[in-house]
Amino acid sequence: MDSIVNEVYKLYGNQLNERIERKIPWREEPEIISITPNKLLMHTITHEFHHKGQIVSKLRMMGYEPPNTDILGTKSCLFPSRS
């Protein structure tokens, strides 16, 4: 995943802070949004966190213990033993 993020920033890094202006197609009144791709990317990521929290909360309410899905702290992220 890191390689994909790095490639996006390498290819489009200079453009991520250039404003995009578009009509919002699902709104009844014609409204134009002005936002950068970087802000859209951050919105997408934080929105995913929101839904992940909803799922974890619902699982706990149903009596399940959800698995640890965080990347940091998992075995694949730890340094190998140096003994």
Side-chain angles (χ1 to χ4, degrees):
M1 189 57 148
D2 288 341
S3 63
I4 294 169
V5 171
N6 289 336
E7 178 135 358
V8 166
Y9 276 99
K10 181 179 174 183
L11 293 172
Y12 303 107
N14 294 333
Q15 300 169 21
L16 292 176
N17 290 313
E18 293 177 10
R19 289 202 164 277
I20 299 171
E21 293 188 359
R22 298 282 190 276
K23 288 182 182 176
I24 302 174
W26 58 87
R27 300 268 170 93
E28 289 184 24
E29 295 293 321
E31 187 177 348
I32 295 180
I33 190 170
S34 176
I35 195 164
T36 65
N38 200 38
K39 288 268 190 185
L40 287 170
L41 180 60
M42 291 303 111
H43 168 75
T44 303
I45 292 168
T46 58
H47 194 75
E48 185 269 338
F49 295 156
H50 167 75
H51 287 297
K52 179 180 174 184
Q54 287 178 316
I55 292 166
V56 166
S57 177
K58 184 60 81 173
L59 285 170
R60 287 191 174 128
M61 288 168 45
M62 295 170 64
Y64 296 98
E65 180 62 34
N68 178 9
T69 58
D70 290 330
I71 294 172
L72 299 178
T74 60
K75 289 182 182 180
S76 65
C77 185
L78 300 175
F79 286 107
S81 177
R82 297 184 181 175
S83 32

